[in-house]
Amino acid sequence: MNEQSNVFEFVEGKRRRLAAGWMILGIASLLIAGLLAILLVLSRTPKVQDVFPLINFFKVALVVHVDLSVTIWFIAFAGVLWTLNGRESFMGMGYAALCVSAFGTVVIALSPFLGAWHPLMNNYVPVLDDKIFLYGIVIFFTGFTLLLLRSLLCIPLVGAATTGAGAQRYGLYVGAVIGLLAVCTLLWTYLSIPDDANALRYFELLFWGGGHLLQMLDTAIMLTAWVWLARGAGLALNLLPKTSIILFSTLLVASLYAPIIIFTQQAGSWQYIHQFTGLMEWGIGTPVIGFALLILAALLKSKIGDNKGHLRAALISSIVLFGAGGAIGFMISGINVTIPAHYHGVIVGVTLAFMGLTYYFLPLFGFNEPAVKLARLQAYIYGAGQLLHITGLAWGGGYGIARKVTGSEQGLDTFKKAASMGLMGIGGMVSIIGGFLFLIVVLKAMWSGRKS
């Protein structure tokens, strides 16, 4: 068996069905988040925002949109990869994790229509400060914890230093370890938050440490997706298994500093806040740059194959957006829309990698091949739209436009401020088109029948 087939060895039976379930959960969360995204972009676009009938729904929609399109979509896709690369054991735990997570997702999505109407715009996992929504979050994270425990029990590390597949499994295992650290940090923070914290500060502190670790988990999963996409696109990737292990290990070593922070610093202190920020910055940069340079070198030497163009497009767009988001992070000064420009770039970089791998997995799950030309166009449209979106936000951040506000609260009192938010709005609408194209391509492949 050559290296290429070894990397893409695909499973049959129960594991494939369970992995398909996680993929369907992720796609469903993206579908709902996409509908909410239309409301979000319209409510911040000049002229349109003044006549937008649901402007008071902005923050409620934003909370649910972020949780569905980031937290749930990313974890669900991690579930796909962990399941495919694990042994066929503890399947009861695996199905329990999926069912519990799916139920939590339904509660979160329906909560605004069940009376949850008190948005708190805390970082990482924003919440609606109502019991029904909070129950949904607790239920989902319970399913996530079950998924992590099963993954750590089932992902084999045999051959990590000698085969591409083994090195990929090691990267996924590192992601699961980081995920468990994130859950433990969340629980420890819950027990140690100062009693006098108000609601917004409470949830800001609750998800601060664990949220940073979740970003490191997302990065680990994205890097495995980059390698799979590169090989799926036929790139001659000069990546030794030992190199992969070293790069993934930098993420692991950085994440292991988290327990030191939570045991030595008071939750919410200046040291606590800045040490977790530094942990993420230094832990993520090295492996991302290492993998990106190796993949870009392979892209420059390769030829475009007609039937692999969609995978290549997703890979290129993912690297560009993640890189742009990371670069914008160094421009942050104060509390303004440069911050969402940074994390939108990074988040969309992860999303594009997962979109591309979804295209690759569809026929392997027994569905029809995606429409390659439309899928390739989708990746570039979505990537270009988001690049315009974050450019507008970064531009507006330079003029001090506040984040997490809409309508007249943005203070668009000059042409340059209005133009920056106009560019943001145009880019947002283009990216929404790209997002719905993804859903069209995927759902068409799923609904048009199984392969014979």
Side-chain angles (χ1 to χ4, degrees):
M1 178 179 292
N2 59 37
E3 180 67 11
Q4 185 85 342
S5 61
N6 193 24
V7 170
F8 287 107
E9 183 179 358
F10 211 74
V11 299
E12 301 288 343
K14 295 179 180 179
R15 277 187 292 168
R16 191 175 79 163
R17 290 193 293 272
L18 179 57
W22 283 109
M23 189 172 76
I24 291 170
L25 174 60
I27 292 170
S29 69
L30 275 186
L31 176 60
I32 301 171
L35 295 173
L36 293 171
I38 297 175
L39 307 182
L40 295 176
V41 171
L42 290 176
S43 68
R44 297 197 69 171
T45 303
K47 303 300 181 183
V48 179
Q49 67 185 20
D50 298 329
V51 297
F52 192 62
L54 293 177
I55 194 167
N56 293 328
F57 190 60
F58 171 78
K59 291 185 178 180
V60 175
L62 180 59
V63 166
V64 180
H65 168 80
V66 169
D67 290 335
L68 290 173
S69 64
V70 180
T71 304
I72 294 174
W73 158 241
F74 288 179
I75 288 174
F77 204 88
V80 174
L81 297 183
W82 284 330
T83 301
L84 290 177
N85 288 273
R87 299 186 184 92
E88 192 169 297
S89 49
F90 300 100
M91 293 301 295
M93 182 186 294
Y95 279 106
L98 175 59
C99 292
V100 172
S101 298
F103 180 61
T105 301
V106 171
V107 174
I108 291 168
L110 292 179
S111 61
F113 309 100
L114 299 175
W117 200 266
H118 302 286
L120 296 176
M121 308 310 296
N122 56 284
N123 286 297
Y124 293 106
V125 185
V127 302
L128 303 178
D129 191 16
D130 289 270
K131 287 184 178 180
I132 184 66
F133 178 89
L134 296 177
Y135 285 150
I137 288 289
V138 170
I139 293 169
F140 179 80
F141 271 88
T142 300
F144 175 42
T145 303
L146 289 173
L147 171 64
L148 289 169
L149 292 174
R150 181 182 181 274
S151 300
L152 291 171
L153 290 171
C154 295
I155 296 177
L157 296 179
V158 176
T162 57
T163 68
Q168 288 292 89
R169 287 195 300 269
Y170 176 76
L172 294 172
Y173 193 89
V174 165
V177 172
I178 296 173
L180 188 60
L181 284 172
V183 171
C184 291
T185 299
L186 177 64
L187 293 174
W188 180 266
T189 307
Y190 172 76
L191 298 173
S192 59
I193 294 178
D195 295 333
D196 59 348
N198 61 35
L200 179 59
R201 179 167 173 77
Y202 177 89
F203 287 106
E204 181 76 7
L205 295 180
L206 179 63
F207 291 111
W208 184 261
H212 279 79
L213 288 168
L214 283 177
Q215 282 201 332
M216 297 176 74
L217 159 61
D218 297 336
T219 302
I221 305 302
M222 179 194 72
L223 293 176
T224 63
W226 280 3
V227 175
W228 281 35
L229 280 173
R231 298 200 186 279
L235 301 185
L237 190 58
N238 185 23
L239 177 63
L240 297 174
K242 291 182 179 179
T243 303
S244 292
I245 289 177
I246 291 171
L247 293 173
F248 282 125
S249 293
T250 59
L251 271 174
L252 177 61
V253 171
S255 69
L256 292 175
Y257 186 69
I260 297 175
I261 299 176
I262 65 175
F263 288 137
T264 61
Q265 306 297 335
Q266 173 64 43
S269 67
W270 183 91
Q271 294 87 349
Y272 180 90
I273 297 295
H274 285 272
Q275 285 188 29
F276 265 112
T277 301
L279 170 69
M280 182 185 67
E281 290 175 350
W282 291 103
I284 288 177
T286 300
V288 167
I289 292 172
F291 278 110
L293 289 176
L294 289 167
I295 292 170
L296 290 173
L299 280 166
L300 291 174
K301 297 177 182 178
S302 65
K303 296 180 180 179
I304 300 176
D306 292 339
N307 62 336
K308 305 293 185 181
H310 57 319
L311 304 183
R312 178 189 294 261
L315 180 60
I316 293 172
S317 300
S318 175
I319 293 174
V320 169
L321 263 295
F322 197 95
I328 290 172
F330 291 101
M331 300 166 54
I332 294 174
S333 178
I335 308 300
N336 53 59
V337 289
T338 306
I339 296 174
H342 156 65
Y343 66 69
H344 271 95
V346 171
I347 286 169
V348 172
V350 178
T351 292
L352 278 160
F354 293 172
M355 285 178 170
L357 212 49
T358 299
Y359 290 148
Y360 178 81
F361 282 159
L362 282 171
L364 299 178
F365 278 131
F367 299 108
N368 283 326
E369 293 276 355
V372 173
K373 291 183 179 180
L374 185 59
R376 181 175 65 245
L377 183 64
Q378 178 274 322
Y380 285 132
I381 288 176
Y382 187 59
Q386 283 293 346
L387 195 58
L388 290 175
H389 183 77
I390 66 175
T391 299
L393 287 171
W395 183 15
Y399 299 116
I401 298 175
R403 61 184 299 217
K404 298 180 180 178
V405 297
T406 186
S408 61
E409 295 178 22
Q410 296 180 95
L412 306 183
D413 52 1
T414 68
F415 171 77
K416 291 181 179 179
K417 289 182 179 180
S420 66
M421 288 297 97
L423 181 62
M424 179 280 306
I426 292 171
M429 291 307 299
V430 171
S431 66
I432 286 174
I433 293 171
F436 276 106
L437 280 177
F438 169 75
L439 293 170
I440 289 170
V441 172
V442 170
L443 294 177
K444 182 179 179 181
M446 287 181 166
W447 289 348
S448 59
R450 292 270 184 170
K451 295 188 302 178
S452 59

